[in-house]
Amino acid sequence: DAGQLRLALQPFAPQACIEDALAVVAPQAFAKGLHLPYQLDKLLPNVIISDITRVRQILFNLLSNSIKFTETGDITVTAAAAQLEPGLFEIRFTVADTGIGIPADRLDRLFQSFSQVDASTTRKYGGTGLGLAVCRRHAQLLARSIWGETDTGRRTPIHFTTQARTAAALRPPPPRCPRRARSPP
């Protein structure tokens, strides 16, 4: 709320970031019999420059919510990339579950602080209604967006995007060979 969050840009592997977030939530998911697959787009760079802490926190919050609201099936994480210019990509992360779904008329409440889609879910599943609000703030800090889609009773995808440079794109150009000066005759 104070606006004091700052990005800590550093190179990291998106695959490792996803695997780290999945490792944290795996015990809760496996206790419920849920599967946690992930998919990586072929265009996704191996190493990007972004804020791994913010990306991992968003993934963790989305995965935690999915585990809370999914009784059977799976929660899938995908990462896709679109090249915007040489060395610059828009990365879209998606967490989709086979949970209870989100009614279309309540989707606008999804990312509001202290708000849940339905009061009955608060009684049944608990929670403060802050997890997705934090995700929204982190996504905005990453200068991109976060949004959900509705498909009650089916996959419920939540997407967030970030723009990131590849690590190779930030390498300085190789030094030029200096021209040899002619020696005086």
Side-chain angles (χ1 to χ4, degrees), residues 148-171:
E149 294 179 24
T150 183
D151 194 359
T152 306
R154 297 179 178 218
R155 297 194 88 59
T156 303
I158 304 290
H159 312 276
F160 73 96
T161 60
T162 184
Q163 283 188 4
R165 294 215 170 266
T166 61
L170 294 182
R171 289 187 188 136

Side-chain angles (χ1 to χ4, degrees), residues 38-57:
Y38 69 90
Q39 299 172 340
L40 305 175
D41 183 54
K42 290 180 183 180
L43 292 178
L44 185 68
N46 290 329
V47 178
I48 61 172
I49 308 293
S50 189
D51 188 326
I52 188 172
T53 303
R54 305 287 178 242
V55 172
R56 191 183 303 120
Q57 183 67 49

Side-chain angles (χ1 to χ4, degrees), residues 9-146:
L9 301 178
Q10 61 183 323
F12 70 91
Q15 180 175 355
C17 180
I18 291 168
E19 290 172 350
D20 289 349
L22 288 170
V24 172
V25 300
Q28 296 90 352
F30 295 154
K32 292 179 79 172
L34 302 173
H35 301 282
L36 294 173
Y38 69 90
Q39 299 172 340
L40 305 175
D41 183 54
K42 290 180 183 180
L43 292 178
L44 185 68
N46 290 329
V47 178
I48 61 172
I49 308 293
S50 189
D51 188 326
I52 188 172
T53 303
R54 305 287 178 242
V55 172
R56 191 183 303 120
Q57 183 67 49
I58 295 171
L59 287 170
F60 172 76
N61 284 0
L62 294 178
L63 286 164
S64 294
N65 263 17
S66 288
I67 291 168
K68 186 188 310 185
F69 296 109
T70 302
E71 296 301 323
T72 61
D74 60 70
I75 300 161
T76 304
V77 178
T78 58
Q83 188 168 5
L84 302 175
E85 61 185 53
L88 180 65
F89 288 82
E90 180 170 84
I91 312 294
R92 177 169 43 172
F93 295 91
T94 302
V95 175
D97 60 52
T98 54
I100 61 175
I102 303 167
D105 63 337
R106 302 215 177 136
L107 201 56
D108 61 331
R109 299 170 63 187
L110 195 58
F111 299 101
Q112 295 176 6
S113 296
F114 304 108
S115 176
Q116 292 197 353
V117 171
D118 185 342
S120 66
T121 60
T122 304
R123 286 188 299 276
K124 182 175 179 181
Y125 298 102
T128 61
L130 285 174
L132 292 179
V134 168
C135 289
R136 185 191 75 227
R137 287 194 184 137
H138 285 339
Q140 290 169 338
L141 186 64
L142 291 166
R144 303 317 301 156
S145 60
I146 186 167

